[in-house]
């Protein structure tokens, strides 16, 4: 079978399914992406591209994202025309709608089935934008959000079937989208994300590694930013460390901004929050690890006696589900997308996103109670294995979804 994957930020949601298809050694796979400097692929091809047009800095804000999306879609279509002339005709196209890359594929191959990933429908109410009053939105932001959904609407028309990861994400789309969108998470490798009583992590300022004997709690986000509750976490930190004098906190994440409002020029949210909490924290027990290799992330989660996961109502992070698969007891913000993943008091603990004091109290409670840690961690792993395990649960469903778009002569083996 010939398969075309498209995602500007390789490899993203397609990591597990791509690896499985490559292992089969019976498919010709091409992946289009804007990401550069990738290692040489084995078993598939990567085509890196750069759009021919970038909106001017003074572009009309209501339409700037759509202008950028059209440029992405046009470049992808141009590459696909060239692939077609070279004899590559995919049996199916699988890609992400968020940046316009899927917009014009039917102009190239009208009869090739397109399976599109729908991640988020933009809204000024009920989602990430406008949720936290500390970061109020401008009067024009609702119009900008609504205009940005032009990409979603056109992508819906340009696909044969859609996919999204959670019911919360699907329900964020208008009802008119629902007949095409299947809810199917990308899956968790529960055979890799496993508990490990012998786990250890090396911290630069200590002479010996930390182990399961140490009182470790954790926070993780791709970048330390308000959308992932970094400001709430930092404000809770002094009380937690004061109440637990032997505890250390391991913090994973970069200093950039992935989502939401950027800090003032030349500053970072980490720097701003460090200044705010200042002398109230014992910094010798605070370890900022940065963005770490995946194996280090796994080891840190295997050590955690309390993993703090905070988010506004937004796309849930893979990391919290991987932490649950590892058996780390999770303390998370009580928002709708998280409630879909965590049953309160059974597979994790939930707390009010806006209340650092309550967050600290619940973290202290969990760090004190080893029996509760083990109970929550074990239940969390059982839940992830039962519902989100990639090999046993997600992969067969994913193959069936793809096969529903294909003639029998080219269908994938389960």
């Amino acid at each position: 079978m010939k398969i075309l994957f498209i995602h500007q930020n390789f490899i993203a949601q397609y990591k597990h399914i791509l690896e499985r298809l490559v292992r089969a050694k019976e498919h010709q796979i091409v992946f289009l992406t804007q990401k550069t400097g990738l290692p040489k692929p084995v078993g598939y091809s990567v085509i890196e591209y750069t759009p021919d047009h970038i909106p001017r800095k003074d572009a009309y804000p209501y339409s700037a994202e759509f202008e950028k999306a059209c440029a992405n879609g046009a470049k992808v279509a141009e590459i696909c025309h060239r692939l077609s002339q070279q004899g590559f005709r995919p049996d199916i196209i699988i890609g992400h709608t968020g940046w316009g890359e899927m917009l014009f594929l039917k102009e190239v191959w009208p009869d090739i089935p397109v399976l599109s990933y729908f991640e988020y429908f933009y809204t000024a109410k009920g989602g990430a934008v406008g949720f936290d009053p500390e970061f109020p939105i401008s009067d024009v932001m609702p119009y900008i959000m609504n205009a940005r959904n032009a990409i979603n609407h056109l992508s819906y028309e340009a696909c044969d079937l859609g996919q999204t990861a959670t019911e919360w994400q699907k329900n964020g789309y208008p009802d008119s989208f629902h007949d095409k969108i299947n809810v199917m998470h990308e899956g968790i490798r529960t055979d890799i994300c496993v508990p490990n009583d012998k786990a250890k992590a090396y911290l630069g300022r200590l002479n010996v590694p930390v182990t399961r004997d140490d009182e470790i709690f954790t926070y993780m986000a791709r970048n330390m930013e308000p959308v992932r509750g970094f400001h709430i976490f930092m404000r809770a930190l002094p009380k937690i460390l004061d109440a637990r004098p032997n505890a250390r906190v391991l913090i994973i994440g970069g200093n950039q901004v992935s989502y939401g409002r950027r800090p003032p020029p030349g500053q970072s949210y980490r720097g701003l929050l460090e200044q705010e909490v200042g002398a109230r924290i014992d910094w010798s027990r605070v370890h900022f690890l940065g963005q770490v290799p995946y194996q280090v992330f796994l080891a840190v989660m295997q050590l955690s006696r309390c993993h703090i996961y905070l988010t506004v109502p937004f796309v849930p992070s893979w990391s919290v589900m991987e932490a649950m698969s590892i058996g780390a007891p999770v303390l998370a913000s009580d928002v709708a997308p998280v409630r879909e993943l965590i049953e309160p008091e059974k597979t994790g603990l939930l707390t009010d996103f806006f209340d650092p004091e309550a967050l600290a109290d619940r973290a202290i409670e969990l760090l004190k109670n080893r029996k509760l840690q083990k109970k929550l961690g074990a239940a969390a792993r059982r839940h992830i294995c039962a519902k989100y395990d990639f090999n046993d649960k997600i992969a067969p469903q994913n193959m069936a979804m793809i096969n529903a778009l294909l003639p029998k002569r080219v269908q994938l083996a389960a």
Side-chain angles (χ1 to χ4, degrees):
M1 181 188 295
K2 295 180 180 180
I3 307 170
L4 176 63
F5 283 97
I6 304 172
H7 196 301
Q8 70 157 17
N9 188 27
F10 176 95
I11 188 171
Q13 285 89 353
Y14 301 117
K15 175 178 172 59
H16 299 328
I17 189 65
L18 179 61
E19 289 175 348
R20 188 180 182 98
L21 292 169
V22 168
R23 283 198 303 271
K25 297 181 179 180
E26 58 186 38
H27 308 296
Q28 183 181 354
I29 302 171
V30 176
F31 203 118
L32 268 61
T33 184
Q34 289 188 25
K35 199 166 185 178
T36 59
L38 296 169
K40 185 176 180 180
V42 177
Y44 62 100
S45 301
V46 172
I47 298 175
E48 300 172 0
Y49 80 91
T50 301
D52 293 330
H53 173 77
I54 298 174
R56 292 163 44 120
K57 289 184 178 180
D58 62 349
Y60 191 53
Y62 289 42
S63 57
E65 286 297 325
F66 185 68
E67 186 179 347
K68 189 186 302 183
C70 287
N72 289 335
K75 191 63 178 183
V76 166
E78 177 189 316
I79 293 170
C80 290
H81 273 297
R82 187 165 67 245
L83 287 172
S84 183
Q85 292 169 353
Q86 295 168 355
F88 179 80
R89 176 184 169 85
D91 294 296
I92 190 168
I93 303 168
I94 302 172
H96 196 296
T97 62
W99 303 276
E101 294 172 298
M102 312 296 284
L103 289 177
F104 307 126
L105 295 170
K106 290 292 187 180
E107 305 305 317
V108 184
W109 292 302
D111 56 338
I112 300 302
V114 173
L115 173 59
S116 288
Y117 195 102
F118 289 85
E119 189 163 16
Y120 191 70
F121 193 85
Y122 295 93
T123 176
K125 294 182 179 179
V129 175
F131 176 76
D132 189 341
E134 188 172 340
F135 302 93
I137 62 174
S138 66
D139 291 340
V140 302
M141 186 57 71
Y143 304 118
I144 293 173
M145 294 290 98
N146 196 23
R148 189 168 183 176
N149 284 321
I151 304 168
N152 272 316
H153 284 283
L154 289 177
S155 297
Y156 174 84
E157 296 297 329
C159 79
D160 296 279
L161 195 63
Q163 173 188 0
T164 197
T166 65
E167 292 288 348
W168 181 83
Q169 287 166 263
K170 178 177 178 177
N171 291 335
Y173 283 85
D175 290 346
S176 57
F177 281 69
H178 290 187
D179 62 332
K180 275 189 183 180
I181 297 179
N182 287 330
V183 176
M184 188 179 301
H185 195 270
E186 302 81 53
I188 301 299
R189 287 292 302 272
T190 63
D191 57 328
I192 294 174
C193 299
V194 296
N196 179 9
D197 288 338
K198 297 181 180 180
K200 61 180 67 175
Y202 294 86
L203 306 176
R205 72 180 75 140
L206 300 180
N207 294 323
V208 295
V210 290
T211 70
R212 293 279 295 172
D213 292 330
D214 296 290
E215 186 175 327
I216 301 296
F217 66 104
T218 53
Y219 169 92
M220 189 275 181
R222 184 192 305 175
N223 280 299
M224 290 173 278
E225 57 195 350
V227 165
R228 296 308 189 191
F230 178 69
H231 56 314
I232 306 298
F233 165 74
M234 287 293 286
R235 290 163 185 164
L237 202 50
K239 186 174 183 179
I240 301 171
L241 291 171
D242 186 56
R244 305 299 298 168
N246 294 319
R248 293 184 181 276
V249 60
L250 277 54
I251 302 168
I252 294 176
N255 292 323
Q256 305 303 312
V257 174
S258 299
Y259 312 107
R261 181 181 300 180
R262 297 184 179 279
Q267 296 185 306
S268 69
Y269 283 113
R270 172 182 167 181
L272 292 171
L273 269 299
E274 284 180 343
Q275 292 175 20
E276 180 180 326
V277 297
R280 294 188 290 132
I281 281 185
D282 176 2
W283 293 104
S284 69
R285 294 187 284 132
V286 179
H287 302 267
F288 287 97
L289 306 184
Q291 292 178 329
V292 300
Y294 189 62
Q295 291 301 319
V296 175
F297 160 75
L298 293 179
V300 169
M301 292 302 107
Q302 287 164 342
L303 296 175
S304 185
R305 298 186 185 183
C306 169
H307 177 59
I308 296 173
Y309 174 69
L310 302 176
T311 183
V312 302
F314 193 53
V315 178
S317 306
W318 294 316
S319 63
V320 67
M321 300 175 72
E322 291 172 323
M324 292 171 70
S325 176
I326 286 167
V330 172
L331 169 58
S333 51
D334 188 5
V335 293
V338 173
R339 288 195 294 271
E340 187 171 333
L341 305 178
I342 295 176
E343 186 176 359
E345 312 300 324
K346 293 187 177 180
T347 57
L349 303 178
L350 300 183
T351 187
D352 183 352
F353 176 88
F354 297 109
D355 192 342
E357 288 289 319
L359 171 63
D361 289 341
R362 296 237 72 182
I364 293 164
E365 170 195 349
L366 184 53
L367 288 170
K368 285 180 178 178
N369 193 333
R370 295 288 277 156
K371 183 177 179 180
L372 180 60
Q373 293 168 26
K374 293 177 182 178
K375 173 187 171 184
L376 293 175
R381 176 163 174 80
R382 287 195 300 270
H383 173 62
I384 297 298
C385 289
K387 188 170 182 180
Y388 297 103
D389 175 77
F390 175 76
N391 289 322
D392 291 341
K393 300 293 181 181
I394 302 299
Q397 296 172 21
N398 210 326
M399 298 297 186
M401 181 174 60
I402 293 171
N403 284 339
L405 295 171
L406 295 169
K408 289 186 178 181
R409 60 181 175 79
V410 291
Q411 294 206 342
L412 298 168

